[in-house]
Amino acid sequence: MMRKSFGSSAAFSLSIRKRAFFSTSTSTSTSPSLSPLDADDAAAGALKSMNLFSAINNALHIALDSDPRAYVFGEDVSFGGVFRCTTGLADRFGKNRVFNTPLCEQGIVGFAIGLAAMDNRAIAEIQFADYIYPAFDQIVNEAAKFRYRSGNQFNCGVRFSSNLYHALEHFPSLVASIVGLTSGGLTIRAPYGAVGHGGHYHSQSPESFFCHVPGIKVVIPRSPKQAKGLLLSCIRDPNPVVFFEPKWLYRLAVEEVPEHDYMVPLSEAEVIRHGTDVTLVGWGAQLAVMEQACIDAEKEGISCELIDLRTLLPWDKETVEASVRKTGRLLVSHEAPVTGGFGAEISASMVERCFLRLEAPVGRICGLDTPFPLVFEPFYMPTKNKILDAIKSTVNY
Amino acid sequence: MALSTSLRSNLVRPLTGLTALSSTGHLRRPFSSSADDSTVITVETSVPFVGHKCDPPSRNVETTPKELLGFFYDMALMRRMEIASDSLYKSKLIRGFCHLYDGQEAVAVGMEAAITKKDCIITAYRDHCIFLGRGGSLVECFSELMGRQAGCSKGKGGSMHFYKKENGFFGGHGIVGAQVPLGCGLAFAQKYSKDETVTFAMYGDGAANQGQLFEALNMSALLDLPAILVCENNHYGMGTAEWRAAKSPAYYKRGDYVPGLKIHFSSKVLQESDVVDGMDAFAVKQACKFAKEHALKNGPIILEMDTYRYHGHSMSDPGSTYRTRDEISGVRQERDPIERIRKLILSHELSTEAELKTIEKKIRSEVDDAIALAKESPMPDPSELFTNVYVKGFGIEVAGADRKEVRGVLP
């Protein structure tokens, strides 16, 4: 297949994904990066081996290329960024579209919101998710509520008549792609998560703070291929989006990524491993750990179903519910501390919906309730063995 | 003071004759009598201070042989410690993040000379040498860097989180700019306690663009707090040059209604044609003394220290992608703070080359001993993962992955 044009590829990818989503193909790979969509992607166009930062870089190139009013800015992005996600952008698109900001997170995000409100695509980078807190007020009080409090006069995204919007609600990517060139959008990218030696301020997972805010979207990819598609969807989404990138995977995760423009739909979870005994839900880098636990559990005869949530807010309750109805058991795992983590929301929702179907209490295998430690990181993290223990105890409840 | 005017010494001019310096005359003294605290030597800072809304202090700084030799020893120790940390990091004994201070030692040492341990210092993550200056020991330093129990924060803080409460060192902060409002809060407490102490809240040129700095400055000015904001301008915020990050790189003026003082070591570092001076521990001392007096009477003041770091931002930054190697070696050659003190000592004939070399060798072995001791210190006990989250006894519950396990209430 030749490279698709911008508009049609979105529709093409969207329909393919909806079909493949219900497929019953089992994942035979040991890495969580392979999905049932590979056969389709191979047919769609050239593939290139990329790691996570290259895939994100690729997505940003495409985003800036396809929309002349897209801008990338943040601390040190001009030379390529501390994780090399923005290499080559300044050279290709110029200093007026890809530029450094001073060291002021609140300023960066506020500035981005203003830019988006004037129908531009603002892609702001926060250097580490640990530094996002000065910008928290801007995200929660300004970005999230802009559309709501102005009666849709102002927003960090597209202006739409509400009828048209509702009609196209089921095809968010289509929406974004159609109006892509004439609308704005706000995306805030930040590397999050443990990296082995990050300590208190280079390892945090703040996603649950943002999941508590109606009006924004929170998206977390698990692999290079997912990241590129999800990031393009986020950039083209008419709502403000916070996109957390698992920094551990920047170099570690390598995958064959299609080089053409494609989008992965938001608010759709993906079942990346099918099973019948217990459902595990996670996102980001943690999925790799959970996958290992699932493989070990398989050896002991426990068949695990693994779901990648992909979008945490608004999250795909239907997929998870369908899976829990199938297996009757649910475990959630994330790096952030367990109290108040997003696992609590998933647990509560599923108990509300599937109480009578549940065979065991919903388990959460998460980080401990301490600040992210320095030397104790291996003890703090929800490791494969902790997940395996939980799988076994849930099944034997 | 009449004495000093006629006896001004110049950095490079060697002294001849006995009348050169002090009233008691000056003979070459061996190192062993470096405890000479009574002879007054006057040093002139190489360039005058630049003031903003205040009258800058005099260029003439009084010192003694003991202080001079003390400066040399302290700075050489700090330098040696940072270099040793560099090699420890490369051999993976120190992990995580490590931000080295070599090149900027004059600020730490000069500041200490002007204040007492009751005054408070709070700084960002480039804190190893400030910690040493505040009375921290080498063993505590290296242990904390390697994450061992003997460290000043019991191994739980790491490179960026050194503290010494009893000596007024409040750390050690990873988030850029967050320490400045904290410093102003410390000053508020000091004003209440009425013990004539001040707080030095240090930050860098990168942090100078953080909003919270200006919030804190406004509050301090309103309340007339004895807060001294010290901008250690090493001209690069990580990899970003100051002229690219700040519309006005005159950080000492950024307080606007708050007076400022610039320790103007040289004109713009980036221009080679300008006169370049040494990074001057005496200028720092004079400025800090002046600032302390000012703050106790009139409220906050900003000090801008024009300094330079030889290493990159952290150990993962080579430090040469955003500046030329020529620039780094140029500064090292012409402005190195230790060399300046060395020349001063030699020109005042307080010691010989050979003796100074011996001191440096002694320092080297001190550092090596400290590293060896630190290596022997064990890692913190795993139970330390849960301690000090809250005050002891407040109780956190942790359950095992198996929900049937006993829930333990932790310290």
Side-chain angles (χ1 to χ4, degrees):
Chain A
M1 289 270 204
M2 55 276 147
R3 276 171 202 275
K4 302 239 175 285
S5 67
F6 167 54
S8 56
S9 73
F12 172 80
S13 321
L14 185 65
S15 57
I16 289 292
R17 267 141 191 85
K18 275 214 177 295
R19 237 180 24 238
F21 171 67
F22 296 109
S23 78
T24 52
S25 65
T26 50
S27 172
T28 51
S29 76
T30 50
S31 93
S33 55
L34 278 179
S35 68
L37 316 165
D38 292 299
D40 306 310
D41 288 317
L47 295 175
K48 188 169 172 213
S49 180
M50 295 187 204
N51 56 23
L52 186 64
F53 73 75
S54 308
I56 289 171
N57 187 240
N58 196 237
L60 290 171
H61 273 272
I62 292 173
L64 287 172
D65 197 28
S66 57
D67 186 346
R69 297 178 74 175
Y71 307 87
V72 172
F73 49 92
E75 291 158 22
D76 302 307
V77 300
S78 211
F79 81 92
V82 286
F83 292 111
R84 296 200 243 153
C85 293
T86 49
T87 39
L89 290 174
D91 291 334
R92 189 170 161 203
F93 297 104
K95 286 189 306 217
N96 290 336
R97 291 181 67 193
V98 180
F99 52 91
N100 287 341
T101 58
L103 220 169
C104 42
E105 288 75 20
Q106 188 169 22
I108 292 170
V109 173
F111 177 90
I113 295 170
L115 196 57
M118 291 283 277
D119 293 339
N120 297 293
R121 283 197 201 289
I123 306 165
E125 177 181 301
I126 300 289
Q127 198 160 79
F128 281 88
D130 314 56
Y131 310 152
I132 204 169
Y133 305 112
F136 195 65
D137 173 66
Q138 285 286 343
I139 296 171
V140 171
N141 280 329
E142 300 300 324
K145 301 173 168 62
F146 213 168
R147 189 192 296 272
Y148 190 80
R149 56 186 152 98
S150 66
N152 205 24
Q153 283 187 72
F154 287 105
N155 53 69
C156 307
V158 70
R159 264 163 244 202
F160 240 138
S161 80
S162 52
N163 292 335
L164 185 58
Y165 186 73
H166 286 308
L168 292 171
E169 208 173 24
H170 298 287
F171 304 92
S173 339
L174 195 58
V175 155
S177 63
I178 285 173
V179 300
L181 288 173
T182 57
S183 72
L186 171 65
T187 307
I188 298 160
R189 296 178 36 242
Y192 90 103
V195 73
H197 51 268
H200 313 91
Y201 300 116
H202 296 83
S203 319
Q204 289 177 36
S205 302
E207 70 270 3
S208 71
F209 294 118
F210 296 94
C211 291
H212 195 50
V213 184
I216 58 170
K217 295 195 175 184
V218 179
V219 178
I220 304 184
R222 69 167 184 271
S223 74
K225 188 157 67 183
Q226 294 289 315
K228 178 176 165 180
L230 284 169
L231 183 56
L232 283 167
S233 297
C234 293
I235 291 171
R236 293 166 181 160
D237 191 281
N239 297 292
V241 182
V242 183
F243 186 77
F244 286 115
E245 302 163 359
K247 65 171 87 73
W248 203 326
L249 301 182
Y250 272 139
R251 273 186 264 211
L252 237 52
V254 182
E255 211 178 10
E256 297 292 310
V257 179
E259 285 185 294
H260 64 270
D261 186 348
Y262 67 95
M263 298 201 284
V264 170
L266 299 183
S267 295
E268 281 187 26
E270 185 179 358
V271 182
I272 60 177
R273 187 188 175 91
H274 292 267
T276 53
D277 295 330
V278 56
T279 301
L280 286 92
V281 177
W283 50 87
Q286 188 63 9
L287 284 167
V289 179
M290 293 163 89
E291 177 109 3
Q292 290 303 314
C294 292
I295 291 169
D296 280 8
E298 189 91 48
K299 294 186 192 134
E300 308 200 18
I302 304 174
S303 164
C304 304
E305 180 142 302
L306 185 56
I307 299 182
D308 176 10
L309 217 48
R310 299 200 295 200
T311 303
L312 268 65
L313 186 74
W315 64 285
D316 185 355
K317 294 182 185 163
E318 281 70 32
T319 306
V320 178
E321 185 185 346
S323 175
V324 173
R325 286 201 182 281
K326 183 167 74 160
T327 64
R329 297 176 185 87
L330 176 61
L331 291 172
V332 186
S333 182
H334 56 70
E335 285 175 20
V338 60
T339 300
F342 196 60
E345 156 65 24
I346 299 174
S347 171
S349 287
M350 288 302 113
V351 166
E352 273 178 337
R353 290 175 174 223
C354 320
F355 179 69
L356 289 173
R357 175 68 187 92
L358 285 171
E359 308 279 331
V362 176
R364 294 176 291 165
I365 307 98
C366 307
L368 302 171
D369 282 330
T370 69
F372 199 101
L374 195 56
V375 295
F376 298 117
E377 186 171 323
F379 297 106
Y380 167 93
M381 294 285 281
T383 54
K384 179 196 83 163
N385 286 332
K386 288 186 190 175
I387 300 173
L388 193 55
D389 277 349
I391 293 174
K392 286 194 264 192
S393 71
T394 306
V395 165
N396 297 325
Y397 188 75
Chain B
M1 296 312 283
L3 209 69
S4 48
T5 47
S6 59
L7 300 173
R8 260 187 251 175
S9 73
N10 186 285
L11 174 61
V12 283
R13 195 166 12 112
L15 294 166
T16 51
L18 294 173
T19 56
L21 258 191
S22 65
S23 58
T24 58
H26 181 59
L27 293 163
R28 207 190 97 195
R29 295 177 200 284
F31 176 60
S32 54
S33 69
S34 64
D36 178 2
D37 218 352
S38 54
T39 323
V40 171
I41 303 172
T42 309
V43 175
E44 187 190 44
T45 70
S46 13
V47 263
F49 296 103
V50 181
H52 168 73
K53 301 215 167 130
C54 68
D55 289 321
S58 142
R59 284 171 70 173
N60 299 315
V61 187
E62 287 186 347
T63 181
T64 64
K66 179 177 179 198
E67 190 176 59
L68 253 178
L69 286 158
F71 273 15
F72 179 81
Y73 182 86
D74 290 336
M75 288 204 276
L77 188 68
M78 290 174 181
R79 177 68 59 91
R80 189 68 226 141
M81 178 184 74
E82 295 295 71
I83 306 289
S85 307
D86 181 308
S87 21
L88 281 177
Y89 191 90
K90 287 181 177 144
S91 47
K92 300 231 168 142
L93 280 160
I94 299 176
R95 297 202 70 214
F97 296 86
C98 193
H99 308 85
L100 299 176
Y101 199 71
D102 53 324
Q104 300 181 212
E105 298 90 353
V107 177
V109 158
M111 189 180 288
E112 282 302 325
I115 62 178
T116 69
K117 292 289 190 280
K118 285 224 155 70
D119 297 305
C120 301
I121 298 184
I122 189 169
T123 183
Y125 43 79
R126 213 176 289 278
D127 56 351
H128 309 165
C129 298
I130 313 248
F131 172 74
L132 265 191
R134 284 266 94 180
S137 72
L138 282 172
V139 178
E140 280 181 308
C141 216
F142 285 117
S143 308
E144 189 59 42
L145 285 171
M146 294 196 274
R148 307 294 173 103
Q149 277 182 26
C152 51
S153 306
K154 301 191 196 143
K156 292 172 76 166
S159 159
M160 296 198 283
H161 305 108
F162 283 24
Y163 300 87
K164 197 143 191 83
K165 185 171 180 190
E166 60 270 21
N167 287 350
F169 182 50
F170 286 79
H173 297 266
I175 301 294
V176 170
Q179 73 277 10
V180 178
L182 245 125
C184 296
L186 297 173
F188 186 70
Q190 285 174 324
K191 185 162 176 149
Y192 252 111
S193 65
K194 295 199 174 122
D195 54 7
E196 302 290 303
T197 53
V198 294
T199 297
F200 286 82
M202 303 172 75
Y203 59 98
D205 46 296
N209 301 313
Q210 275 276 321
Q212 46 191 328
L213 215 113
F214 298 97
E215 292 179 11
L217 205 55
N218 185 41
M219 286 172 73
S220 314
L222 273 173
L223 297 167
D224 279 328
L225 300 182
I228 300 159
L229 272 68
V230 180
C231 178
E232 288 182 281
N233 183 3
N234 57 24
H235 304 285
Y236 295 97
M238 217 159 73
T240 306
E242 58 175 342
W243 57 270
R244 295 220 264 148
K247 182 72 181 173
S248 160
Y251 298 106
Y252 70 106
K253 283 192 189 165
R254 293 267 215 110
D256 185 36
Y257 44 84
V258 171
L261 192 67
K262 184 174 168 103
I263 288 80
H264 192 74
F265 293 152
S266 77
S267 20
K268 296 188 201 43
V269 154
L270 306 171
Q271 291 178 21
E272 290 167 48
S273 54
D274 288 314
V275 171
V276 188
D277 299 303
M279 292 187 275
D280 190 349
F282 289 104
V284 174
K285 175 186 164 189
Q286 181 83 317
C288 291
K289 199 155 136 265
F290 171 79
K292 179 168 175 175
E293 283 159 17
H294 183 282
L296 284 171
K297 274 204 311 265
N298 306 329
I301 181 172
I302 300 182
L303 296 180
E304 182 187 340
M305 313 272 185
D306 187 330
T307 180
Y308 200 83
R309 54 167 162 81
Y310 299 142
H311 269 91
H313 163 76
S314 71
M315 287 304 301
S316 19
D317 173 21
S320 48
T321 49
Y322 47 86
R323 48 185 194 175
T324 60
R325 289 195 201 277
D326 287 338
E327 181 188 296
I328 305 173
S329 51
V331 175
R332 196 190 277 272
Q333 239 175 312
E334 296 178 70
R335 298 174 59 192
D336 187 76
I338 301 179
E339 291 313 306
R340 184 187 162 89
I341 298 289
R342 192 198 298 268
K343 284 191 194 125
L344 261 176
I345 291 178
L346 293 175
S347 70
H348 287 267
E349 295 172 349
L350 299 176
S351 193
T352 61
E353 275 283 355
E355 280 166 8
L356 291 179
K357 282 265 181 309
T358 315
I359 297 176
E360 285 181 314
K361 277 213 202 92
K362 188 162 144 289
I363 286 173
R364 223 191 162 100
S365 71
E366 246 187 81
V367 166
D368 289 337
D369 289 340
I371 294 178
L373 254 176
K375 279 186 191 166
E376 283 170 28
S377 176
M379 294 286 225
D381 192 74
S383 65
E384 286 280 343
L385 172 56
F386 305 109
T387 56
N388 305 128
V389 178
Y390 291 102
V391 166
K392 203 176 168 73
F394 215 60
I396 308 177
E397 283 189 354
V398 175
D402 179 348
R403 284 172 307 284
K404 293 177 193 165
E405 258 174 44
V406 171
R407 289 181 188 278
V409 175
L410 295 155

